[in-house]
Amino acid sequence: MHDLPPETPAPELFTWEFATDPYPAYAWLREHAPVRRTTLPSGVEAWLVTRYADAKRALADPRLSKNPVHHAEHAHAKSKTGIPGERGAELMTHLLNIDPPDHTRLRRLVSQAFTPRRVAEFAPRVQELTDGLIDAFAAKGEADLIHDFAFPLPIYAICDLLGVPREDQDDFRDWAGMMIRHGGGPRGGVGRSVKKMRRYLAELIHRKRDDLGDDLISGLIRASDHGEHLTENEAAAMAFILLFAGFETTVNLVGNGVYALLRHPEQRARLQRSLDAGESGLLTTGIEELLRYDGPVELATWRYATEPVRLGGQSVAVGDPVLVVLAAADRDPERFDDPDRLDLSRGDNKHLSYGHGIHYCLGAPLARLEGQAAIGTLLTRLPDLRLAVDPSDLRWRGGLIMRGLRTLPVQFTAVRD
Ligand code: HEM
């Protein structure tokens, strides 16, 4: 069925136009070649999976391993998680690179420390951070919402949660800035930033062993002392993946989310009315819809077939990489009514933006908290927020896995206390 010649030519992937709006190309793939072998810009070949049902199946298929040693091209491979500079073996033993039983052990450990209760208790701090960042630019009447707001918020939030002392958090901001600016490429600066971060985290873990606190790193150490073992390398890799997985994703949730609202004035006005009335229901469903409509993670991280797998009518051979295109699955008309329409009150919205199966996003409760605080507060405090440039002047960051804007210049009526 899927091998019939398509009526329209295959769209070019990974071009500049594609980065600006990949959704028409994904619609073509879903329709004509839902599981397609593709050469990526790096030269590596991988299967792209674009239909919702196939995507969900692939994300939960135990024959698709997360461990890069199963990649047929492993010997020549670069970073396989999309994490820049992440080739040092010490940082490789993290959740997104391993399978059961190691994954089960590490996930259980971190889940004991990263509980929904801990996240809920963190809500006032996230609100304080959000307000502080808006205070810093509110009187200017203009801002770059990526640089001034979406970028620092998750960095400070995760540093606080992990237990990185406040006086060291600006170093993290610098290192993370380096990673996000040059994400995807093996540049020297990125490698150096990752190395500094890694060294810092190792020292911090070491220090905390003798002085446990109420933070997540102390929680990890406590959990490992009371049950299964966690090596210091694994603890450092865990702290690193929490930072990394929770950083650029949240930047993009806020950036893509605000941008989608600015492009849909009637939806944004609806949300603003409901916030003014003190209701939170539309904000809750709205954040989920923004995640579905233009989510932060375009492609799930790499998977490799450990057995031959039939997927969407195609035969995936042992060693072949499989990339699940979350952004395409979440616009599948077989699953979502009128999928290209942004509807903040959409019910039945089981999007795949946080993944599915055993690797389902560990940080989803924190991401929801940050997204709701950031977008809700921004619209409430700066009600006439508007784009300061033409949408065609905006640029999207390169990179295979994530989808996010480089800058989001906005204007608004200056607020002076
Ligand atoms: C809107 C923001 C976020 C989105 C859209 C998102 C999305 C995702 C997705 C799609 C996965 C699964 C990847 C795969 O299966 O290939 C994932 C895993 C993960 N996420 Fe998130 N994430 C977000 C925020 C966060 C935050 C704030 C944290 C923590 C501070 C976090 C920590 C993790 C971790 C540790 C994993 C790996 C889980 C595992 O392998 O068991 N994420 N996330």
Side-chain angles (χ1 to χ4, degrees):
M1 259 275 274
H2 303 311
D3 294 326
L4 286 176
E7 301 117 39
T8 47
E12 238 189 292
L13 305 178
F14 313 118
T15 61
W16 183 81
E17 287 82 10
F18 172 81
T20 304
D21 180 11
Y23 295 103
Y26 288 150
W28 189 97
L29 284 175
R30 258 192 332 258
E31 173 90 19
H32 299 291
V35 175
R36 170 181 246 217
R37 202 176 164 89
T38 310
T39 306
L40 303 173
S42 61
V44 174
E45 294 209 353
W47 294 94
L48 295 184
V49 180
T50 46
R51 284 188 183 164
Y52 184 92
D54 292 335
K56 205 166 162 188
R57 204 170 304 130
L59 289 171
D61 192 328
R63 296 169 300 173
L64 297 179
S65 165
K66 298 290 298 127
N67 191 332
V69 299
H70 294 293
H71 185 191
E73 291 181 37
H74 179 63
H76 321 285
K78 295 203 177 125
S79 168
K80 281 294 170 287
T81 56
I83 296 176
E86 183 250 19
R87 271 173 288 161
E90 324 86 52
L91 292 179
M92 290 298 271
T93 44
H94 61 65
L95 291 172
L96 281 172
N97 254 355
I98 53 174
D99 301 317
D102 279 340
H103 177 268
T104 322
R105 174 177 61 90
L106 287 185
R107 174 111 186 184
R108 200 182 303 138
L109 257 173
V110 69
S111 303
Q112 286 171 36
F114 198 178
T115 57
R117 206 182 96 201
R118 183 186 290 274
V119 173
E121 284 168 0
F122 199 52
R125 175 65 186 144
V126 170
Q127 189 60 50
E128 188 189 343
L129 278 169
T130 306
D131 283 324
L133 290 168
I134 298 177
D135 287 344
F137 60 74
K140 292 186 192 151
E142 59 178 26
D144 169 10
L145 283 186
I146 301 297
H147 183 265
D148 300 332
F149 186 58
F151 173 78
L153 177 65
I155 274 293
Y156 293 133
I158 302 167
C159 281
D160 270 354
L161 200 73
L162 285 174
V164 174
R166 298 263 162 92
E167 63 271 20
D168 297 341
Q169 295 188 0
D170 282 329
D171 286 341
F172 268 84
R173 190 182 163 151
D174 292 346
W175 298 332
M178 198 69 194
M179 284 160 61
I180 203 169
R181 270 194 299 279
H182 303 297
R187 319 243 178 115
V190 185
R192 265 199 305 279
S193 295
V194 173
K195 246 190 225 146
K196 283 185 191 155
M197 210 182 253
R198 143 106 193 115
R199 195 174 316 128
Y200 178 88
L201 287 171
E203 279 166 21
L204 187 66
I205 290 164
H206 209 70
R207 276 209 310 272
K208 283 195 188 284
R209 272 205 183 281
D210 301 325
D211 184 19
L212 289 178
D214 195 27
D215 51 80
L216 211 150
I217 290 185
S218 299
L220 273 175
I221 296 171
R222 243 184 238 113
S224 68
D225 286 347
H226 284 106
E228 285 143 312
H229 188 62
L230 182 78
T231 66
E232 283 203 359
N233 265 346
E234 285 173 333
M238 183 76 84
F240 181 79
I241 192 67
L242 286 172
L243 261 162
F244 188 83
F247 163 51
E248 192 171 351
T249 46
T250 311
V251 176
N252 296 349
L253 166 59
V254 177
N256 300 2
V258 172
Y259 179 59
L261 289 172
L262 295 178
R263 302 294 309 272
H264 294 81
E266 73 306 333
Q267 290 292 316
R268 176 253 184 100
R270 249 181 104 191
L271 180 55
Q272 218 139 4
R273 275 196 304 276
S274 98
L275 291 169
D276 289 347
E279 296 157 7
S280 60
L282 194 64
L283 182 62
T284 308
T285 56
I287 295 295
E288 297 311 302
E289 175 67 347
L290 293 169
L291 283 163
R292 182 198 69 81
Y293 181 78
D294 200 7
V297 184
E298 191 166 336
L299 273 65
T301 53
W302 295 73
R303 286 168 165 74
Y304 312 93
T306 54
E307 292 174 31
V309 176
R310 287 291 290 172
L311 196 58
Q314 300 288 349
S315 300
V316 176
V318 174
D320 278 0
V322 173
L323 287 167
V324 175
V325 187
L326 304 175
D330 280 345
R331 297 266 193 128
D332 187 342
E334 292 283 320
R335 178 61 188 81
F336 299 100
D337 285 341
D338 204 356
D340 293 326
R341 190 165 61 91
L342 180 74
D343 172 6
L344 298 183
S345 59
R346 188 182 286 274
D348 185 26
N349 196 357
K350 288 213 165 47
H351 58 74
L352 296 178
S353 196
Y354 287 120
H356 173 69
I358 61 169
H359 293 279
Y360 179 83
C361 179
L362 183 77
L366 176 61
R368 292 196 168 104
L369 177 72
E370 290 180 284
Q372 290 176 18
I375 294 180
T377 310
L378 204 61
L379 292 187
T380 308
R381 290 193 53 189
L382 309 174
D384 67 348
L385 194 73
R386 55 197 179 273
L387 264 182
V389 295
D390 191 83
S392 63
D393 291 332
L394 291 173
R395 294 289 170 272
W396 295 81
R397 248 177 275 122
L400 192 63
I401 304 288
M402 305 280 187
R403 170 163 175 78
L405 287 163
R406 282 179 198 271
T407 59
L408 184 56
V410 291
Q411 291 172 334
F412 47 86
T413 303
V415 185
R416 292 194 176 81
D417 297 324

